[in-house]
Amino acid sequence: MTNVDDRPGGPGRGGYPAEKSEPRETIEELKARIPGWGADLDPADRPAFPREQSLESGAHWDIPDLQPELVPRERSIEHKFLPPVFGTAQPLKGLSGMIRAYAYDRFSEGRVAHWMLLVLGDRVDVVESRFTALAQLKPDNIITETGILAEFKRDGIGSRFGRNRTDTKHMWLDPVIVAGPTVLLGWVAFRVIRRLAKG
Amino acid sequence: MRAMVYRGPYRVRVEEKDMPKIEHPNDAIVRVTRAAICGSDLHLYHGIMTDLRVGHTFGHEFIGIVEQVGSSVQNLKRGDKVMVPFNIYCGSCFFCARGLWSNCSNVNPNATAVGAIYGYSHTTGGYDGGQAEYVRVPFADVGPMIIPDDIEDEDALMLTDACSTGYFGAQLADIEQGDTVVVFGAGPVGLFAAQSSWLMGAGRVIVVDHIDYRLDKARTFAHAETYNFVEYDDIVVEMKKTTDNVGADRVIDAVGAEADGSLLQHATGAKLKLQGGSPIALNWAIDSARKGGTVSVMGVYGPVPSAIKFGDAVNKGLTLRMNQAPVKRQWPRLFEHIRNGYLKPSDIITHRIPLDEIAEGYHMFSSKLDNCIKTVVIPPSAA
């Protein structure tokens, strides 16, 4: 049985007082040590407060002009309409585009299915893009795109080991966690297709 | 033009891409002179953000020269040197009219739960970002600001997100004179939050991380006490012990979705994407705060649910405060602090690399090699 004075968390008995702990440094010491200590001391005089306030933004419109919708633009079904301005980078395409369009058309942002379909679309997009890049004679290069050469140029070993980093403890597991589900899914798909082919 | 593009998780490359065009009368095209890689770019790089399309150009921290303006732009002209907040916002919608400039509803068709951000997936609007030679900047009369003559370019660059976000995070923590503030995460936002906590009158500032060189920086740059959580069996108990077992008055989560420290949470949240990120730091923040205290969340999380200890937050009567930082609201005060010598944001920069080496830059930052804290990217047209 643990001695009462050897209890985890500290020994003995006591009660918590009403007062705050004694400050470790006086205001004068803090001011001497920290540049600008207390410059924003007044909570009412901080730029984030009050959170909601009318500020001059530079806008000279009530409703912004509408950016032309040159190709149909997907949008959350929680929107009343397509907002006036939007990004036009990487429009929907291919199977990934169909998956993403379905996620936007069918499920609100409140549904996990919406986000999981978008994650699926992302993974399909990567596979599609590998083939597209090959067809365009701009194949992906795993060496240059992963930036793995930085391991040699930026002291990969010295940066990781002997430095008490917690991520090095599960580094060996990371490829298994990241690639494992994909490999497993591929293997299952392979087995299913082979079984179907055999009739 | 040359631009960084996403090629799949952990893979990026630099490609020739079409020049951005004016697509709206209040657009500007900015030639990027400096961009930075942000910690939250790693959530993209690791494939955690949703609707992240191959070919997307990242980069929400950048400054540059106005190259072209749309027909309704009044406040900028070709040749102006501007700093661009990471938020894209209209300045006139319900939210913008109330100062919630990071929550604009007129700029993001893909989601109503988040405003728009440059180069941060289609979930934040589908805008290509600034890790490129040129970038489209919507609402040029609202977001960008001409860099004041007495503010150095790299200080301005840090104000487009990291420094302003850290400063905003310290404000959301409701710091009062003499408070003990714990900051989880010694990346750029955590370091700026720690530094800013002093400006608001903190009596103690404690930074927790597991990367030794970043904790060194927390001591020298942010004048903070530091704890490497790897050295302790249970960092929450240590935070209690150092606060007379009361807990910290204010705690700031400056880690977000990829927190380490629990294999189960890290694997399910950061690696398998079964949660909207790994909530280790947020749960430690909830556990380390005193009853009635405040937790300020600057860490970025994805939209799917995460296993957050909400019951403890309720039972402790915590105030949880959070938002994407409306960075431009912070700039006038931060300019003052820079002019007064209280802050020198560019001191956090550890690496400067050409755009064409950005793949290695991402690997270095992601793997925390070569004591990397903050990397600045220089496009060829600005070299």
Side-chain angles (χ1 to χ4, degrees):
Chain A
M1 191 170 169
T2 309
N3 186 297
V4 292
D5 286 335
D6 296 331
R7 288 171 175 153
R13 301 285 307 276
Y16 294 104
E19 296 78 22
K20 256 190 150 174
S21 303
E22 280 293 306
R24 297 194 172 192
E25 292 174 280
T26 63
I27 289 173
E28 289 68 34
E29 287 168 333
L30 286 166
K31 281 183 173 173
R33 187 169 74 87
I34 314 288
W37 184 91
D40 294 314
L41 200 55
D42 179 3
D45 182 30
R46 294 173 184 168
F49 288 91
R51 183 167 76 163
E52 295 196 13
Q53 56 179 301
S54 178
L55 297 163
E56 173 54 44
S57 71
H60 43 84
W61 47 79
D62 294 324
I63 301 288
D65 293 329
L66 302 186
Q67 176 182 331
E69 185 185 6
L70 301 177
V71 293
R73 181 63 161 82
E74 75 284 358
R75 65 177 167 91
S76 166
I77 57 174
E78 294 180 43
H79 266 304
K80 189 175 181 181
F81 35 60
L82 181 67
V85 168
F86 47 88
T88 53
Q90 301 88 44
L92 297 175
K93 62 178 170 52
L95 177 61
S96 58
M98 292 164 67
I99 295 168
R100 286 164 170 150
Y102 181 65
Y104 284 110
D105 290 345
R106 176 66 185 81
F107 298 105
S108 77
E109 296 159 58
R111 304 277 291 275
V112 172
H114 173 85
W115 302 108
M116 288 295 132
L117 280 167
L118 290 177
V119 169
L120 176 65
D122 290 352
R123 300 300 169 254
V124 171
D125 187 7
V126 171
V127 175
E128 286 179 316
S129 299
R130 293 278 178 273
F131 287 110
T132 311
L134 264 178
Q136 292 172 337
L137 302 178
K138 290 190 285 189
D140 287 274
N141 180 330
I142 194 169
I143 302 292
T144 55
E145 289 178 6
T146 56
I148 196 76
L149 294 176
E151 289 289 329
F152 306 104
K153 298 177 186 171
R154 305 287 186 179
D155 192 21
I157 292 172
S159 295
R160 284 197 177 81
F161 299 103
R163 303 186 70 161
N164 221 4
R165 289 171 55 161
T166 195
D167 53 341
T168 53
K169 292 176 190 161
H170 58 71
M171 209 169 61
W172 62 274
L173 195 57
D174 291 350
V176 179
I177 293 173
V178 172
T182 309
V183 172
L184 189 65
L185 202 64
W187 182 76
V188 169
F190 172 73
R191 293 294 300 256
V192 168
I193 291 166
R194 201 168 71 163
R195 183 162 293 180
L196 289 174
K198 281 180 179 174
Chain B
M1 68 166 184
R2 304 288 286 166
M4 163 272 167
V5 296
Y6 172 73
R7 294 299 303 168
Y10 296 88
R11 293 170 76 154
V12 300
R13 71 184 182 195
V14 176
E15 284 182 359
E16 283 296 325
K17 225 173 165 175
D18 289 342
M19 284 281 288
K21 293 196 263 301
I22 299 285
E23 300 185 52
H24 180 274
N26 211 249
D27 279 359
I29 304 299
V30 169
R31 179 170 63 82
V32 177
T33 52
R34 291 289 184 276
I37 302 177
C38 176
S40 57
D41 284 330
L42 294 181
H43 308 328
L44 301 168
Y45 180 65
H46 296 154
I48 288 178
M49 273 300 289
T50 50
D51 202 354
L52 175 54
R53 302 181 189 176
V54 172
H56 198 56
T57 296
F58 302 168
H60 55 268
E61 299 183 359
F62 60 91
I63 59 171
I65 309 287
V66 175
E67 189 76 12
Q68 192 183 349
V69 292
S71 58
S72 80
V73 175
Q74 300 175 356
N75 300 336
L76 294 181
K77 62 182 187 310
R78 183 182 159 88
D80 284 341
K81 187 164 73 173
V82 290
M83 52 199 291
V84 183
F86 77 82
N87 333 95
I88 300 170
Y89 60 106
C90 73
S92 62
C93 69
F94 177 93
F95 302 103
C96 288
R98 287 157 180 78
L100 298 170
W101 292 346
S102 53
N103 307 102
C104 177
S105 58
N106 269 339
V107 284
N108 181 4
N110 299 74
T112 58
V114 59
I117 300 172
Y118 292 96
Y120 210 76
S121 84
H122 277 65
T123 294
T124 68
Y127 299 87
D128 271 336
Q131 289 167 10
E133 288 188 284
Y134 295 89
V135 61
R136 173 195 171 202
V137 173
F139 293 116
D141 282 333
V142 175
M145 177 188 278
I146 295 173
I147 300 174
D149 289 340
D150 58 347
I151 298 295
E152 292 176 20
D153 285 3
E154 288 188 340
D155 287 327
L157 176 63
M158 294 299 104
L159 260 52
T160 60
D161 181 1
C163 179
S164 301
T165 295
Y167 183 66
F168 180 69
Q171 290 175 80
L172 291 200
D174 296 328
I175 296 165
E176 295 176 9
Q177 184 172 322
D179 277 347
T180 295
V181 181
V182 172
V183 180
F184 284 100
V189 169
L191 293 169
F192 284 125
Q195 204 178 40
S196 302
S197 298
W198 294 119
L199 300 178
M200 288 159 215
R204 285 180 75 190
V205 178
I206 300 166
V207 175
V208 179
D209 202 296
H210 69 107
I211 304 290
D212 53 3
Y213 69 85
R214 293 188 170 197
L215 291 170
D216 288 343
K217 192 75 172 177
R219 288 189 289 274
T220 55
F221 175 81
H223 314 284
E225 300 169 47
T226 59
Y227 282 74
N228 185 333
F229 65 77
V230 177
E231 294 171 7
Y232 302 95
D233 178 53
D234 186 333
I235 192 64
V236 170
V237 173
E238 294 306 314
M239 292 301 99
K240 290 287 171 63
K241 282 183 183 171
T242 194
T243 53
D244 282 342
N245 291 78
V246 170
D249 302 296
R250 319 292 165 197
V251 188
I252 299 170
D253 166 11
V255 181
E258 303 198 48
D260 219 322
S262 154
L263 184 58
L264 178 66
Q265 295 275 31
H266 184 75
T268 57
K271 293 291 191 289
L272 293 174
K273 286 84 172 171
L274 297 175
Q275 304 187 61
S278 157
I280 302 164
L282 182 50
N283 285 334
W284 282 349
I286 289 169
D287 286 330
S288 300
R290 73 162 166 84
K291 293 165 201 161
T294 305
V295 172
S296 162
V297 186
M298 287 299 102
V300 174
Y301 293 89
V304 298
S306 292
I308 293 162
K309 300 182 68 180
F310 215 77
D312 283 352
V314 172
N315 292 331
K316 293 174 78 169
L318 298 182
T319 299
L320 303 184
R321 310 196 63 172
M322 62 210 86
N323 201 355
Q324 296 278 354
V327 298
K328 196 175 176 182
R329 274 180 68 167
Q330 325 307 317
W331 286 353
R333 186 66 59 87
L334 288 171
F335 291 151
E336 278 179 41
H337 290 334
I338 291 170
R339 288 173 183 132
N340 288 329
Y342 302 157
L343 298 176
K344 182 64 181 159
S346 56
D347 279 353
I348 212 162
I349 297 168
T350 51
H351 293 77
R352 293 168 181 83
I353 60 170
L355 177 64
D356 279 313
E357 292 177 16
I358 201 165
E360 291 181 16
Y362 266 97
H363 183 84
M364 171 176 68
F365 188 42
S366 168
S367 301
K368 298 175 180 64
L369 308 183
D370 201 28
N371 294 348
C372 179
I373 294 176
K374 191 71 179 175
T375 301
V376 170
V377 177
I378 305 169
S381 50

